[in-house]
Amino acid sequence: MIIWLKNHWLLADGAIFRQLRVVPDSMVLTEHRRIWLHNWKGLLQIWLRFAKKRLPAGKPYVRVHTSYRGYYHWLLESIPKLLEAQRTIPAFTLLLPASYTDAFYTDTLRLLQLTAVERLQPQTMYRVPELALPLLPEAQGNYSAQTMREVKAVLLAAAGVGQEAPASPTRLYISRRKAPRRKVLNELEVEQLLSRYGFQCVCFEDFAFEDQLRLCASANVLVSMHGAGLSNMIFMPERATVVEFRKYDDGHNYFFTRLGEVLGYQYHLLYCPAADEQQSVQDADLYVDIAALDTVLQQLPA
């Protein structure tokens, strides 16, 4: 579904408004509510302080990003919207924040052969003459198998990777040792155990997007700490197995569990004690129970 808007203002955080009223569908939709970043008072301050730029008329513009950035949100939320735009609109210019400089943005746009991109600068309001706003039918973190399989099929095909089951499937462990936070503190023990079960240890920071895609397309088992690297499970073969290390919390941030379920994977949640139990699941470093992990690994298909 695509909503068409004429002569609206757009901010780099993805908010769309007119006459100091935000377009509701431009806000992030969660399972419980929309996340409102601006009210009319805040927009008035923005109107008075921000630079204003009018984009030229001609072919339409498309916005697929929201205030949530990063690999997970780009791959699982923005790319499906971008595919909908490419199916529906013959030619358009994509609007993206200037801060979207990570390699995975460039790599996915290249795979999708999308070169017409207007970069949105901070502290700037953009007057858009004709704006297309693709929408997902589901709320954030509650994605359909059809949507995810489309992303998988399109990106694998663009990278020249087939979707057939690999002749010699691999087992992958995604390490976060190079990440700034959320690490496995006894990772040496974890890797020693995983090596006995034939796992390859990788840091996705060392691989370009297409290489990550190929690694996961050939893997029938994926083990990882809770984190964006688990988004790549969508590229795995059918009936794959995923093991996620995570801190127990109050029931939020179970997006990867749901993703594994809708894709029909065998999914194991291994709850781990945190070095600091006061930290959130997004920040806490963990200790993996080696005996508990061994029990899970014994259940893996041959």
Side-chain angles (χ1 to χ4, degrees):
M1 177 181 176
I2 292 182
I3 293 177
W4 288 93
L5 302 168
K6 290 187 178 295
N7 296 318
H8 280 64
W9 292 95
L10 173 67
L11 301 176
D13 65 14
I16 302 168
F17 66 98
R18 188 176 182 182
Q19 297 178 345
L20 302 184
R21 285 189 170 186
V22 174
V23 175
D25 287 314
S26 70
M27 295 291 96
V28 175
L29 175 63
T30 69
E31 291 181 294
H32 307 292
R33 59 185 177 85
R34 294 190 185 276
I35 299 176
W36 293 87
L37 299 178
H38 307 284
N39 57 26
W40 72 267
K41 293 180 181 178
L43 289 176
L44 179 59
Q45 292 298 315
I46 286 173
W47 181 271
L48 296 173
R49 292 172 39 236
F50 279 20
K52 299 174 180 62
K53 180 177 179 180
R54 294 178 180 268
L55 297 179
K59 62 182 180 181
Y61 297 86
V62 169
R63 192 229 73 173
V64 299
H65 71 283
T66 66
S67 57
Y68 287 175
R69 59 168 297 160
Y71 186 77
Y72 165 86
H73 297 286
W74 175 251
L75 183 64
L76 303 185
E77 296 167 1
S78 294
I79 292 298
K81 298 174 187 176
L82 193 50
L83 296 181
E84 173 68 11
Q86 288 187 309
R87 271 196 307 269
T88 310
I89 309 170
F92 61 85
T93 296
L94 179 65
L95 300 172
L96 278 184
S99 60
Y100 279 29
T101 57
D102 298 277
F104 61 81
Y105 295 115
T106 305
D107 292 343
T108 47
L109 293 178
R110 176 177 49 79
L111 284 176
L112 297 175
Q113 300 181 10
L114 209 162
T115 57
V117 180
E118 172 81 24
R119 293 290 180 170
L120 304 174
Q121 302 298 323
Q123 305 290 306
T124 305
M125 297 168 43
Y126 291 83
R127 178 80 162 184
V128 188
E130 187 175 18
L131 179 61
L133 182 62
L135 302 178
L136 287 179
E138 55 267 5
Q140 182 189 62
N142 188 24
Y143 312 119
S144 69
Q146 179 180 350
T147 300
M148 296 299 98
R149 285 172 179 150
E150 180 190 14
V151 174
K152 172 183 178 179
V154 170
L155 290 177
L156 286 181
V161 180
Q163 293 196 61
E164 64 278 0
S168 301
T170 58
R171 294 177 171 185
L172 288 181
Y173 169 59
I174 306 172
S175 170
R176 287 183 58 86
R177 69 167 63 94
K178 295 185 178 181
R181 61 194 170 98
R182 207 163 62 244
K183 300 174 185 286
V184 174
L185 296 176
N186 58 333
E187 188 164 62
L188 179 59
E189 293 179 273
V190 170
E191 291 186 4
Q192 288 173 341
L193 175 62
L194 290 172
S195 67
R196 288 168 30 202
Y197 287 88
F199 277 81
Q200 175 186 356
C201 175
V202 298
C203 295
F204 275 165
E205 292 90 341
D206 297 334
F207 295 87
F209 173 73
E210 289 184 50
D211 295 324
Q212 295 181 36
L213 185 153
R214 291 188 176 91
L215 280 169
C216 290
S218 65
N220 64 343
V221 184
L222 184 67
V223 175
S224 176
M225 166 81 96
H226 179 89
L230 279 170
S231 306
N232 284 330
M233 75 172 76
I234 68 170
F235 301 119
M236 296 173 71
E238 293 185 7
R239 295 181 293 278
T241 300
V242 178
V243 181
E244 177 188 349
F245 305 150
R246 65 167 290 140
K247 174 184 180 290
Y248 184 79
D249 66 359
D250 58 0
H252 296 290
N253 297 308
Y254 282 80
F255 298 160
F256 297 117
T257 311
R258 295 172 192 153
L259 180 60
E261 290 172 351
V262 301
L263 293 173
Y265 295 163
Q266 183 178 1
Y267 205 95
H268 298 273
L269 269 178
L270 188 60
Y271 290 109
C272 305
D276 181 355
E277 291 293 346
Q278 301 304 311
Q279 289 186 305
S280 73
V281 68
Q282 303 289 357
D283 297 301
D285 296 332
L286 303 180
Y287 292 96
V288 174
D289 184 325
I290 299 300
L293 175 59
D294 194 20
T295 299
V296 171
L297 297 176
Q298 291 175 29
Q299 303 173 39
L300 296 180

